[in-house]
């Protein structure tokens, strides 16, 4: 079975190669080639999953060594794949949800002239993400990490004829380069500390290294995770990434890019367990981001950007759980999987709404769409109920576990983190109810566009609605299925470990508090958007509202601190270069020039002058010799 691991990556990689170099002869069938090869990878994943289920718990790690990549004395990098319970979970999520998004894209991109290239990029995205989660060492993981960054750049900027899309792609690429520097530094520190960057030796000997060194490695890994998973302070690219086609948004937010950071932290759990300071910073980043993203989501009228803020917030929950250590690792991954279902469904639902509304994204120009798009309404509604944690749906089981784990951390830290998670649950219920009410309820508010074309809302074709229905089923049942007999916990525990912690309050009290927060969030949203007409133009709002519309001034901060700061730093360096460096160089040259100008006057070309000089020198030498003898 080990030989099938490479085929997981090879199938979508082959699709990318064929579609990107096959030429226009494949334009008519390119979308089906990409979807078929993505589905083929999923089938291989299911076969391997069944094989793992049939093995004993301690025999569920499969290793496939392909070849030695860099054989150098004292330095060896292998192309080796590791398939265990953690990577298997990601394989099924990436290929399963990814294949549904491929199928949806067949309908969504039907009229795009470059759809063959689009499906090639989608396949490349899946291949890179699979390489990332299947790598057996951090250096090979880094290759997949960079591949994900490249594919996201190509897909976010797919409609590069739009300046906004080209700018968004560049922004995502540059912000992620900052995080990538963290990963590269972490790998260098690992090699100098352990002499290798393979998972086995590094993680098994983590406790042998000094806490300071492990803290440095952990913080660099966190920096990398912040870039890929859009966590504070590297979150600014995520909202702009909505400029890409909607299936790209679904793929990035549900199955690939933003989940990479959570995987990296959980996979490196042994390092963080031995570095409590780095672990604390992880929890702080997660708590801040879950509130940051939720507040931003409350103020967005663009349906995709509201969902982008939601993703930032939900990934914040996962990072918070991952920072809790063995108390929260399993629940971080559990929420990641359930989020993969309902967030993919929500984005595909948003794409379906846009498909029927002439690509309109402003929710203030929707209203009453449930009558025109019943399948989209039901599937989107189930995703909405799942993400707010409605009892019995997937989000209820996974997010509640994270809130319980936060309180189980114990002490003041546990109370602070748990309270942040509860407040985030209330805000989530508010902004997602706002999205539902503004989109599917109330009176119609759409208007003709600048060309006089009025939207005619209609349901999307079956090739788009079938993936939405499948994802809605996962949104409803996945969390409950995972929780039966703690089967998901038992599945991942051999890899991640698990500890119950010491919660100061019972699970029932936490669930009750979460339900109260949910009711408060839904109630406030209903009073504001369900019982009042939605104005066509957003009111000015409070200072916080205006800041949230500008992403809590994250771009303004980056411009002032980084762009302006960089400009001032550059000018200062130029000044130092011109005044100090050039001054020393030019001054030295001028000094030697003046000295040589004076010395050359001694070379006047007259023989009598040279004779006098020689006579004078000889006289001085004789006088000096006689003087020394006399002494």
């Amino acid at each position: 079975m080990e030989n099938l691991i490479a085929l997981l990556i090879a199938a979508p990689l082959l699709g990318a190669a064929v579609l990107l170099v096959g030429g226009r002869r494949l334009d008519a069938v390119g979308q089906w080639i990409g979807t078929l090869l993505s589905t083929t990878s999923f089938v291989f994943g299911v076969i391997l999953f069944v094989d793992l289920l049939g093995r004993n718990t301690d025999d569920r790690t499969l290793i496939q060594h392909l070849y030695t990549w860099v054989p150098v004395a004292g330095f060896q990098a292998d192309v080796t794949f590791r398939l265990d319970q953690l990577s298997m979970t990601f394989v099924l999520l990436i290929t399963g949800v990814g294949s549904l998004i491929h199928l949806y894209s067949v309908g969504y991109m039907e009229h795009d002239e470059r759809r063959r290239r689009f499906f090639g990029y989608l396949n490349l995205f899946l291949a890179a993400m699979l390489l990332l989660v299947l790598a057996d060492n951090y250096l090979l993981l880094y290759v997949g990490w960079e591949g994900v960054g490249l594919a996201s750049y190509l897909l976010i900027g797919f409609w590069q004829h739009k300046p906004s899309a080209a700018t968004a792609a560049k922004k995502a690429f540059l912000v992620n380069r900052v995080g990538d520097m963290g990963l590269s530094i972490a790998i260098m520190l690992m090699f100098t500390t352990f002499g290798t960057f393979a998972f086995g030796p590094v993680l098994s000997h983590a406790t042998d290294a000094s806490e300071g060194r492990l803290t440095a490695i952990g913080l660099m890994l966190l920096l990398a995770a912040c870039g890929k998973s859009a966590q504070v302070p590297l979150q600014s690219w995520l909202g702009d990434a909505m400029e890409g086609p909607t299936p790209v948004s679904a793929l990035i937010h549900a199955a690939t890019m933003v989940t990479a950071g959570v995987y990296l932290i959980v996979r490196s759990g042994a390092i963080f367990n031995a570095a409590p300071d780095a672990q604390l910073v992880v929890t702080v980043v997660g708590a801040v981001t879950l509130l940051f993203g939720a507040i931003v989501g409350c103020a967005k009228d663009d349906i995709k950007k509201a969902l982008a803020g939601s993703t930032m917030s939900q990934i914040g929950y996962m990072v918070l759980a991952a920072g809790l250590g063995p108390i929260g690792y399993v629940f971080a991954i559990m929420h990641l999987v359930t989020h993969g279902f309902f967030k993919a469904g929500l984005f595909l639902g948003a794409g379906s709404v846009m498909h029927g509304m002439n690509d309109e994204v402003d929710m203030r120009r929707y209203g009453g769409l449930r009558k025109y798009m019943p399948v989209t309404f039901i599937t989107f509604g189930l995703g909405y109920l799942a993400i707010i944690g409605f009892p019995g749906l997937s989000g209820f089981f996974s997010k509640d576990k994270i809130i319980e784990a936060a309180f189980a951390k114990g002490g003041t830290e546990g109370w602070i983190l748990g309270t942040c998670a509860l407040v985030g649950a209330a805000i989530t219920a508010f902004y997602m109810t706002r999205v539902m009410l503004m989109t599917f309820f109330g009176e119609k508010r759409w208007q003709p566009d600048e060309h006089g074309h009025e939207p005619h809302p209609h349901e999307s074709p079956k090739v788009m609605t079938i993936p939405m229905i499948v994802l809605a089923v996962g949104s409803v049942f996945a969390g409950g299925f995972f929780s039966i007999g703690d089967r998901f916990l038992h599945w991942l525990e051999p890899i991640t470990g698990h500890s119950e912690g010491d919660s100061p309050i019972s699970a029932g009290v936490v669930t009750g508090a979460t339900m109260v927060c949910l009711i408060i969030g839904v109630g406030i949203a209903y009073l504001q958007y369900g019982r009042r007409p939605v104005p066509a133009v957003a009111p000015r709002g409070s200072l916080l509202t205006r800041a949230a519309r500008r992403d809590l001034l994250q771009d303004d901060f980056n411009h002032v601190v980084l762009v302006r700061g960089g400009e001032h730093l550059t000018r200062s360096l130029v000044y130092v270069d011109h005044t100090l460096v050039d001054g020393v160089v030019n001054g030295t040259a001028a000094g030697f020039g003046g000295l040589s100008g004076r010395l050359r006057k001694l070379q006047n070309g007259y023989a009598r002058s040279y004779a006098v000089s020689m006579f004078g020198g000889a006289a001085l030498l004789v006088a000096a010799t006689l003087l020394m003898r006399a002494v």
Side-chain angles (χ1 to χ4, degrees), residues 16-17 115 138 363 385 388 391 429 454 460 529:
R115 64 178 178 178
Y138 284 96
M363 293 186 293
L385 292 174
I388 67 173
E454 183 172 332
S460 298
Y529 297 96

Side-chain angles (χ1 to χ4, degrees), residues 348-365:
L348 297 189
S352 180
V353 170
M354 293 167 58
H355 181 79
M357 291 291 291
N358 295 347
D359 289 329
E360 177 63 66
V361 296
D362 189 347
M363 293 186 293
R364 294 186 181 276
R365 298 185 180 181

Side-chain angles (χ1 to χ4, degrees), residues 270-453:
I271 294 174
F272 287 97
N273 292 342
D277 290 340
Q279 205 169 52
L280 175 62
V281 177
V282 173
T283 60
V284 171
V285 168
V288 170
T289 307
L290 76 86
L291 294 175
F292 188 104
I295 293 171
V296 168
C298 292
K300 295 296 185 182
D301 293 331
D302 183 319
I303 187 171
K304 289 174 66 177
K305 290 192 175 183
L307 294 178
S310 168
T311 298
M312 192 187 305
S313 179
Q314 296 304 307
I315 298 295
Y317 273 102
M318 301 171 206
V319 172
L320 167 62
L324 297 173
I327 303 174
Y329 288 142
V330 172
F331 304 129
I333 303 301
M334 181 176 174
H335 192 54
L336 185 149
V337 175
T338 59
H339 177 264
F341 284 109
F342 56 70
K343 184 51 63 68
L346 289 170
F347 266 109
L348 297 189
S352 180
V353 170
M354 293 167 58
H355 181 79
M357 291 291 291
N358 295 347
D359 289 329
E360 177 63 66
V361 296
D362 189 347
M363 293 186 293
R364 294 186 181 276
R365 298 185 180 181
Y366 292 164
L369 292 180
R370 70 185 188 281
K371 296 178 291 185
Y372 303 91
M373 304 178 181
V375 176
T376 301
F377 167 64
I378 293 172
T379 56
F380 193 98
L382 291 173
Y384 151 73
L385 292 174
I387 194 173
I388 67 173
F390 190 83
L393 275 71
S394 291
F396 170 78
F397 293 98
S398 58
K399 189 160 63 176
D400 270 28
K401 288 293 186 181
I402 293 177
I403 298 174
E404 292 175 17
F407 281 109
K409 184 69 174 178
T412 304
E413 181 184 342
W415 279 102
I416 294 174
L417 296 175
T419 302
C420 288
L422 282 175
V423 173
I427 302 176
T428 300
F430 171 81
Y431 69 72
M432 285 306 305
T433 303
R434 175 179 180 267
V435 170
M436 279 296 296
L437 294 174
M438 292 179 70
T439 303
F440 295 103
F441 292 88
E443 299 298 324
K444 69 175 188 177
R445 299 184 299 275
W446 55 84
Q447 300 293 331
D449 59 21
E450 62 271 15
H451 303 294
H453 300 145

Side-chain angles (χ1 to χ4, degrees), residues 603-622:
Q603 304 293 326
N604 54 21
Y606 295 112
R608 59 181 179 270
S609 298
Y610 299 155
V612 171
S613 298
M614 293 171 63
F615 177 77
L620 288 175
L621 287 173
V622 171

